[in-house]
Amino acid sequence: MDIATVDLYVISMPLKSPFVTHLGEVREREGIIIKVTDKDGVEGYGEGVAFSTPWYTEETVRTSLHMLEDFLIPLLQKHPIKHPEEAAGLFQSIRRNPMAKSGLETALWDLYAKGQGQSLAKMIGGTREAIASGVVIATDTITKALKQIEGYLEDGYQRIKVKINPSQDYEFLGAIRRHYPNLPMIADANSAYTLKDIERLKALDDFNLLMIEQPLDHDDIIEHAILQEKLVTPICLDESIVSFEDARKAIEIDACRVINIKIGRVGGLHEAIKIHDYCYERGIPVWCGGMIEFGVSRAHNIALASLPGFTIPGDISASSRFWEEDIITPEVVVKNGSVSVPEGPGIGFDINEKKIRETLLIKRSYTFY
């Protein structure tokens, strides 16, 4: 991989409608698009998916920009690599900051796959031509939630995820179940509960949920194991899994029976594939989570979710779920409840340069020779 330049683009776009959880509300989405260009002019794209504020993890757009500019890109300049898998080892000298690492590492994967003339999905062992699509309901009233679900089911989405917290959980889920008794449904708590809420969480077994996602602390594994023993509903871990080792330990102590894999949260595609492979060998279902991302990250998610262990519909919705116009062409579409896996080189999408220019806040460039 003979890299010539790395370009960073900080962009910002308004969401079509607010994304609401008990942790806060997202109306405007900032992100970092990373372009890596080799000496032959081939371009690979990645996306830094940290948010503007540290509500989901400690990373932000600004801290990711700092890590990329001052540490990760200089490391890559000093230590050329031959394969994107090597980036994970190279970045180990820097602790944490998985979303910054992932943004650059995924750009390298896209570049490498394009250089080989192969789709990223096929390169990493993907076996699916299409992936099942799910969608997240994140609103503050039952009326709005039911209206959103009706529209998404008309669009063909195969699974709904509902944000819950102790102030509305049973009421929300009960209302949805009365309207849709057989709807595949996930309840996502984003760490809104403690072990004092065991009886409240046990009551949610009434709703035949696919899983309850991250009910307890964002960095906990031990108490989730205690809770899982009390529940019929499987626990899925999200925020607690930021590395392969986290996943391995959680599975060993039965802290969860499902894992949500987010490329950005675990530090890159290489680590995400390791987690998938470990779970697949042990019969642990996995699915691909979303980060209210732009099209570049969504494209990488599609490639990841083409692996055989992704048996649960993920948060890979259409571009139109969040954006009036996405930064990739063609945009991601959901047809008959599925998203097609691109067959073209790399991520299989082009960049909408006009949209990048319209949404650009900061641009930085780095030369390698």
Side-chain angles (χ1 to χ4, degrees):
M1 302 183 71
D2 199 347
I3 298 169
T5 59
V6 173
D7 295 298
L8 306 178
Y9 305 85
V10 180
I11 63 173
S12 181
M13 284 205 297
L15 275 67
K16 290 170 66 175
S17 59
F19 189 87
V20 182
T21 75
H22 77 282
L23 296 172
E25 182 177 276
V26 180
R27 291 178 175 268
E28 190 91 10
R29 182 62 159 113
E30 282 188 312
I32 305 174
I33 305 303
I34 297 103
K35 178 173 75 172
V36 180
T37 307
D38 70 13
K39 67 173 184 177
D40 297 319
V42 180
E43 298 172 348
Y45 286 88
E47 181 178 330
V49 294
F51 291 96
S52 302
T53 59
W55 66 271
Y56 176 72
T57 71
E58 65 274 17
E59 283 186 88
T60 68
V61 171
R62 293 307 185 270
T63 64
S64 290
L65 191 62
H66 163 53
M67 296 306 299
L68 285 160
E69 291 186 302
D70 296 334
F71 299 100
L72 296 172
I73 292 172
L75 266 178
L76 199 57
Q77 288 173 318
K78 292 176 184 176
H79 304 282
I81 62 174
K82 295 181 180 180
H83 192 283
E85 286 184 343
E86 297 172 35
L90 180 62
F91 297 160
Q92 277 184 346
S93 61
I94 297 169
R95 294 191 179 185
R96 299 288 183 169
N97 298 283
M99 293 179 184
K101 293 176 180 178
S102 174
L104 183 54
E105 189 242 33
T106 51
L108 295 170
W109 276 100
D110 184 33
L111 176 67
Y112 187 80
K114 286 172 177 171
Q116 300 295 311
Q118 191 173 6
S119 76
L120 179 59
K122 292 294 184 185
M123 174 164 284
I124 65 174
T127 59
R128 305 179 194 278
E129 295 181 355
I131 58 171
S133 183
V135 70
V136 183
I137 302 300
T139 187
D140 54 357
T141 72
I142 292 173
T143 302
K144 289 179 184 177
L146 291 173
K147 185 176 181 180
Q148 287 184 15
I149 291 170
E150 181 181 8
Y152 290 134
L153 292 179
E154 288 176 358
D155 291 339
Y157 286 99
Q158 298 188 39
R159 181 231 74 200
I160 298 295
K161 183 166 81 170
V162 182
K163 298 288 185 178
I164 62 167
N165 64 72
S167 72
Q168 46 76 297
D169 48 14
Y170 203 91
E171 182 184 12
F172 246 66
L173 296 173
I176 294 169
R177 266 289 170 254
R178 284 191 293 274
H179 280 77
Y180 301 103
N182 299 312
L183 175 66
M185 184 163 57
I186 297 171
D188 185 5
N190 287 118
S191 305
Y193 300 81
T194 71
L195 283 181
K196 293 179 182 178
D197 298 309
I198 282 182
E199 294 305 313
R200 186 176 198 95
L201 290 165
K202 284 172 66 177
L204 303 187
D205 284 337
D206 292 349
F207 300 120
N208 190 30
L209 301 169
L210 292 175
M211 66 196 78
I212 299 175
E213 185 178 358
Q214 198 71 37
L216 307 180
D217 280 348
H218 72 281
D219 57 356
D220 171 74
I221 290 177
I222 301 299
E223 291 190 347
H224 278 101
I226 296 171
L227 177 62
Q228 180 65 90
E229 189 178 12
K230 305 290 184 181
L231 299 182
V232 174
T233 305
I235 288 175
C236 169
L237 288 182
D238 174 2
E239 291 96 326
S240 292
I241 309 299
V242 298
S243 69
F244 168 79
E245 282 301 310
D246 288 337
R248 181 185 65 79
K249 292 169 185 174
I251 290 168
E252 282 194 1
I253 66 170
D254 196 26
C256 63
R257 291 170 188 167
V258 184
I259 286 182
N260 168 349
I261 303 179
K262 294 177 179 173
I263 300 172
R265 196 193 65 235
V266 302
L269 196 51
H270 177 66
E271 195 81 352
I273 294 167
K274 281 178 60 181
I275 294 170
H276 161 272
D277 292 350
Y278 183 86
C279 291
Y280 188 51
E281 291 169 2
R282 287 155 183 78
I284 303 295
V286 299
W287 58 281
C288 186
M291 288 288 293
I292 319 178
E293 58 256 294
F294 302 110
V296 171
S297 178
R298 199 175 300 258
H300 282 283
N301 287 347
I302 292 169
L304 177 68
S306 72
L307 294 173
F310 285 87
T311 56
I312 298 170
D315 288 339
I316 304 175
S317 52
S319 293
S320 60
R321 163 70 175 92
F322 294 121
W323 316 119
E324 294 292 349
E325 183 182 11
D326 206 343
I327 63 166
I328 57 168
T329 59
E331 295 193 350
V332 176
V333 297
V334 174
K335 186 175 182 179
N336 298 322
S338 298
V339 173
S340 294
V341 178
E343 297 179 355
I347 57 174
F349 294 87
D350 294 323
I351 299 300
N352 183 341
E353 301 282 0
K354 178 176 176 288
K355 196 62 181 177
I356 294 285
R357 289 194 299 271
E358 290 174 352
T359 59
L360 185 64
L361 301 178
I362 298 169
K363 180 183 178 183
R364 307 273 170 78
S365 297
Y366 303 88
T367 302
F368 275 58
Y369 61 84

